[in-house]
Amino acid sequence: MKPNKLKCITTFFILYLFNQNAHSELQVGYYSYSCSMAEFIVKDEVRKGVTNNPGIAAGLVRMHFHDCFIRGCDASVLLDSTPLNTAEKDSPANKPSLRGYEVIDNAKAKLEAVCPGIVSCADIVAFAARDSVEFARGLGYNVPAGRRDGRISLASDTRTELPPPTFNVNQLTQLFARKGLTQDEMVTLSGAHTIGRSHCSAFSSRLYNFSTTSSQDPSLDPSYAALLKRQCPQGSTNQNLVVPMDPSSPGIADVGYYVDILANRGLFTSDQTLLTNAETASQVKQNARDPYLWASQFADAMVKMGQIIVLKGNAGEIRTNCRVVNS
């Protein structure tokens, strides 16, 4: 083979590999040419949802978290159950607490009308989480996109892949590490609890019959515990009772969450436990003092979380309906 011809083939092969690698990575502005209005369409639907119900912002941030921690960011959390399978969304970890599905459905319908088969449900969830942070007065950030949608959703996965509200700091650190996230990022992402609400059942064990020596969790501020008891009466059968995660500013993405923890007003065991470790306690104090630092670190951590085990290239699919796999 002539040297010049060999050189051309080699150059072509290198460019091919570069091009393949570029398309295998998530990219900011991924839909710039294929569906230029994609992010605007999603943001408009999030805006409508949050305007109608401000709590939807917290729901969509939580949805992204619950999606990424199970099988990666593949929109498995959106799939409906079938007669033969109970999906993630119908597990106790997600039902009835997870909300915002209708915002994703509306965004997908609009996108399919203008760019059929282009924008994945997984990317819609990632965009919607970012937009929700912004609408809650948090710091916006660029979202790398190019995820594809998974075809499997199992309720049983939620038992081992999502942190329950009873986890201690060591358990949280270990679970986040399995997802490629550091302890610092765990503390940062825990700040998402600055917005939203919780059902009483998630923390009532801290209020009643806590242990053989204490009726309520001694790490919980007594006046806050008294308030929670009024909001969540012992023995209540009302499954719809909810309380704000951050009472002082439940709809604003601020550092009130960390201020509350320092005052022993963390709602969950998994919140208050951040003071039981010297390193995490130091970070809680730092975040409480520096709102911009937390907001910028939260944005960075959300971007990193959004890249957990993503499906790219020819893996997975681009669902036509986010609730069902393509036939």
Side-chain angles (χ1 to χ4, degrees):
M1 186 177 292
K2 294 180 179 180
N4 285 343
K5 188 173 182 181
L6 178 62
K7 184 177 180 181
C8 288
I9 293 173
T10 303
T11 301
F12 175 81
F13 184 65
I14 291 172
L15 289 173
Y16 171 79
L17 288 178
F18 177 81
N19 188 56
Q20 288 297 103
N21 183 62
H23 284 285
S24 70
E25 299 300 323
L26 300 184
Q27 301 172 358
V28 172
Y30 181 83
Y31 297 107
S32 296
Y33 298 104
S34 59
C35 189
S36 60
M37 294 298 290
E39 295 190 47
F40 297 99
I41 290 171
V42 174
K43 191 164 198 168
D44 190 51
E45 291 305 319
V46 175
R47 179 188 57 77
K48 292 175 186 175
V50 172
T51 299
N52 184 54
N53 178 1
I56 290 297
L60 291 169
V61 172
R62 186 164 179 256
M63 179 183 290
H64 187 36
F65 172 78
H66 281 215
D67 181 37
C68 291
F69 265 52
I70 298 178
R71 298 181 180 273
C73 309
D74 67 347
S76 57
V77 73
L78 301 177
L79 288 172
D80 284 345
S81 296
T82 67
L84 298 177
N85 176 64
T86 303
E88 293 168 33
K89 63 166 53 172
D90 288 322
S91 70
N94 289 327
K95 188 178 181 179
S97 59
L98 207 58
R99 51 192 174 147
Y101 295 111
E102 70 282 359
V103 172
I104 306 299
D105 288 339
N106 293 340
K108 182 60 173 175
K110 293 281 177 63
L111 288 166
E112 285 298 303
V114 296
C115 310
I118 299 295
V119 183
S120 70
C121 300
D123 279 342
I124 295 172
V125 171
F127 292 146
R130 182 268 315 276
D131 298 335
S132 295
V133 172
E134 287 189 24
F135 285 126
R137 301 190 218 172
L139 195 64
Y141 53 91
N142 291 323
V143 176
R147 301 166 187 80
R148 288 172 65 84
D149 301 323
R151 299 185 179 95
I152 299 171
S153 183
L154 304 173
S156 56
D157 285 340
T158 64
R159 293 196 291 268
T160 56
E161 303 303 317
L162 295 177
T166 55
F167 260 18
N168 62 39
V169 69
N170 291 331
Q171 292 169 314
L172 289 169
T173 300
Q174 291 166 11
L175 178 58
F176 275 67
R178 292 207 329 252
K179 309 301 176 184
L181 298 167
T182 67
Q183 186 179 72
D184 283 356
E185 287 162 342
M186 178 271 289
V187 177
T188 298
L189 289 169
S190 293
H193 287 176
T194 184
I195 55 175
R197 66 188 189 181
S198 169
H199 286 76
C200 292
S201 57
F203 58 86
S204 59
S205 62
R206 300 186 72 198
L207 302 177
Y208 308 107
N209 304 316
F210 178 71
S211 70
T212 56
T213 58
S214 178
S215 61
Q216 70 186 39
D217 187 341
S219 70
L220 193 59
D221 173 64
S223 62
Y224 185 44
L227 171 64
L228 293 174
K229 286 180 177 180
R230 289 195 295 273
Q231 295 171 313
C232 302
Q234 186 174 21
S236 173
T237 57
N238 186 349
Q239 299 297 313
N240 297 316
L241 288 178
V242 294
V243 302
M245 303 281 287
D246 176 5
S248 61
S249 54
I252 302 175
D254 59 16
V255 296
Y257 167 78
Y258 298 102
V259 173
D260 285 343
I261 290 175
L262 292 174
N264 294 322
R265 288 173 168 244
L267 187 61
F268 298 153
T269 297
S270 57
D271 297 323
Q272 201 59 48
T273 190
L274 298 181
L275 288 189
T276 64
N277 172 284
E279 292 179 356
T280 58
S282 175
Q283 194 179 348
V284 168
K285 293 172 186 174
Q286 182 181 55
N287 289 342
R289 289 193 306 265
D290 195 335
Y292 183 78
L293 175 67
W294 170 73
S296 60
Q297 290 180 339
F298 183 77
D300 290 343
M302 287 289 283
V303 170
K304 184 175 176 181
M305 184 188 76
Q307 300 185 59
I308 297 174
I309 322 177
V310 295
L311 299 173
K312 297 169 292 189
N314 295 319
E317 63 184 13
I318 305 297
R319 282 183 222 143
T320 302
N321 178 343
C322 291
R323 292 175 177 267
V324 295
V325 297
N326 295 340
S327 57

